[in-house]
Amino acid sequence: YEYGYIGAADTNVNTAKLCRKIAQISEINGVTLAPGTEFQRFLFQQETNRIVGVITSQGIMLCDKVVIAGGLKSKDIVHKLGIRLPVLASQEYSITTRRPEDKILNHTLVDNKTKSFVSPIKGKYFISGGSDLGFDVNQIQDERVQYFVNAAKSKIGEFDSGNLDVWSKLTGLS
């Protein structure tokens, strides 16, 4: 799996890379993508009150069915249908760094106190954690990254934290 680490009971995927890959595969299969297009409202058939399309910043898109996969924005979209979708964002961090040659870690370490874990992945450490609530925009907070790096160091010892690959994702909680 090229875009993330998937454990038996957990999913930690670099969602930005995964979305780009899905978009690439979709275009190869004939899907027309419209980056930067914003949803504005639904288009209804008057006689049946059935959704027959969506109105976007680029115009009308007619359709037979609508799949709402807008992440945290889904609550704003369905609100236009009179549906309340109680979703709150939780920001989670994922960090990878080279594992020193002399350090072997054979299993995932979970730290319930810091709400983080460290996993060995092909010569690297994968550090993940977080549940920062109330974010609407995915912004990496340097102090939170340092918090998880320090938590990992407290469990496995020193490692080079100068060359980190960091990403974060917003996960909807309902």
Side-chain angles (χ1 to χ4, degrees):
Y1 193 80
E2 186 178 352
Y3 298 96
Y5 167 76
I6 298 179
D10 188 44
T11 305
N12 289 286
V13 176
N14 184 327
T15 53
K17 286 183 180 178
L18 180 60
C19 286
R20 283 193 294 274
K21 187 66 173 182
I22 290 170
Q24 180 184 34
I25 292 168
S26 298
E27 286 183 313
I28 290 169
N29 287 293
V31 173
T32 301
L33 301 176
T37 302
E38 294 183 21
F39 168 84
Q40 293 176 341
R41 62 186 184 276
F42 293 99
L43 182 63
F44 295 91
Q45 183 180 44
Q46 280 187 323
E47 301 84 44
T48 63
N49 206 28
R50 185 174 158 264
I51 296 173
V52 293
V54 292
I55 300 172
T56 72
S57 58
Q58 301 298 314
I60 295 174
M61 294 174 56
L62 298 176
C63 59
D64 295 326
K65 293 182 174 57
V66 175
V67 174
I68 299 171
L72 294 171
K73 297 293 182 189
S74 295
K75 66 182 178 181
D76 299 329
I77 294 170
V78 299
H79 179 74
K80 295 174 190 264
L81 293 171
I83 299 170
R84 183 176 174 274
L85 183 63
V87 177
L88 180 66
S90 169
Q91 185 167 11
E92 299 174 5
Y93 292 86
S94 298
I95 305 161
T96 55
T97 187
R98 260 189 44 242
R99 180 178 48 82
E101 298 284 330
D102 61 336
K103 293 195 177 187
I104 304 293
L105 180 63
N106 294 320
H107 58 278
T108 297
L109 299 175
V110 177
D111 186 341
N112 288 325
K113 183 179 176 185
T114 61
K115 305 295 185 220
S116 64
F117 70 84
V118 181
S119 296
I121 302 176
K122 297 182 184 177
K124 294 184 177 186
Y125 288 134
F126 176 74
I127 305 163
S128 184
S131 270
D132 296 340
L133 299 176
F135 288 86
D136 285 333
V137 178
N138 191 13
Q139 294 179 336
I140 293 175
Q141 308 289 322
D142 292 335
E143 63 275 1
R144 292 298 280 159
V145 171
Q146 193 58 51
Y147 174 83
F148 293 117
V149 167
N150 291 342
K153 285 181 177 183
S154 74
K155 299 297 177 206
I156 60 177
E158 283 297 317
F159 57 87
D160 177 16
S161 58
N163 189 19
L164 303 173
D165 183 17
V166 179
W167 70 94
S168 67
K169 64 180 179 179
L170 293 178
T171 302
L173 302 174
S174 56

